[in-house]
Amino acid sequence: AVVEPYPLRGILFRQFSQVSSGYFTVGARWDNPADVLARYMQHSRAWPIHPRNQPPGLMLIFWGTTQIAGLFQSASATFASALRPLTCFDEGLTPLSDAQVMGGALGALIEFAAATLAILPLWALTRRLSNARAAWLAAALYPMTACMLAWVSRWDRSFVYVSIGGVFLIESMLEAAGKGRRRRAILSALTLGALLAVGI
């Protein structure tokens, strides 16, 4: 809202633009995701830079939302007629189907929700390290931070989960080890390892 006279246009620009993140551009056009995933490294060499260097999660979101939108043709046509003018400054997107346009918007909502839900691990970590009042204050202030806005409008929504969730698991592991709760410490360590390996 600060940089765009029409905030919705700015959000959709980041979703639909060929030259922005590219996750929608790639995922919405997958015909056979099983084949793409089986030969992921081979396919990814032809993609824009951000999808090329990331796990397939975001692209799968846009493939899935496009498939869902395709099941509701009349609703997709209605939404697309309103959304399509917002994408017209990118000429490469004019051949998009109504389902792809609506799928992109649905994917944007899912990404926004995912970025917003980072409040939950932040609340849990702050409560664990401090108290309930501090946890609620941290959760209330989080949407106002620059990082929240960046994660919503850009490509890497997983960083906040890996960073905050990782610190939470490390603290949990050390606290459990200090109290002799070996199984809980091992479980926290394994969860942290899986989190870092998958990269969400």
Side-chain angles (χ1 to χ4, degrees):
V2 172
V3 299
E4 293 280 349
Y6 186 20
L8 184 60
R9 180 186 178 106
I11 292 170
L12 292 176
F13 169 76
R14 290 171 175 84
Q15 279 323 124
F16 292 110
S17 175
Q18 295 270 27
V19 297
S20 185
S21 69
Y23 292 116
F24 164 78
T25 305
V26 172
R29 290 179 166 87
W30 284 357
D31 293 322
N32 185 350
D35 174 67
V36 174
L37 294 176
R39 298 187 294 157
Y40 189 75
M41 295 304 295
Q42 179 181 344
H43 285 294
S44 66
R45 294 189 186 111
W47 297 340
I49 186 166
H50 300 310
R52 186 187 317 158
N53 295 315
Q54 295 285 328
L58 287 176
M59 289 164 278
L60 282 171
I61 287 174
F62 287 113
W63 175 84
T65 53
T66 299
Q67 305 310 302
I68 292 170
L71 299 175
F72 303 95
Q73 292 294 336
S74 59
S76 293
T78 301
F79 277 99
S81 65
L83 295 173
R84 199 176 290 280
L86 300 175
T87 71
C88 285
F89 52 86
D90 193 333
E91 295 180 1
L93 297 175
T94 51
L96 287 176
S97 69
D98 291 343
Q100 287 172 317
V101 173
M102 184 175 172
L106 290 174
L109 289 175
I110 291 173
E111 289 186 294
F112 179 81
T116 305
L117 288 175
I119 288 173
L120 297 178
L122 176 64
W123 181 89
L125 176 63
T126 308
R127 181 179 170 87
R128 188 173 185 85
L129 297 178
S130 183
N131 55 50
R133 182 179 178 187
W136 285 112
L137 183 62
L141 293 177
Y142 176 70
M144 300 168 58
T145 65
C147 287
M148 165 68 179
L149 299 176
W151 283 320
V152 169
S153 65
R154 297 185 184 176
W155 52 90
D156 194 354
R157 281 86 177 167
S158 64
F159 178 75
V160 64
Y161 294 103
V162 173
S163 56
I164 296 175
V167 172
F168 179 87
L169 289 168
I170 290 170
E171 196 279 336
S172 177
M173 177 181 63
L174 294 175
E175 190 258 352
K179 292 183 177 180
R181 298 176 183 168
R182 187 175 178 186
R183 290 177 65 183
R184 181 175 163 188
I186 292 172
L187 180 61
S188 296
L190 290 175
T191 306
L192 176 63
L195 184 72
L196 295 175
V198 174
I200 303 187

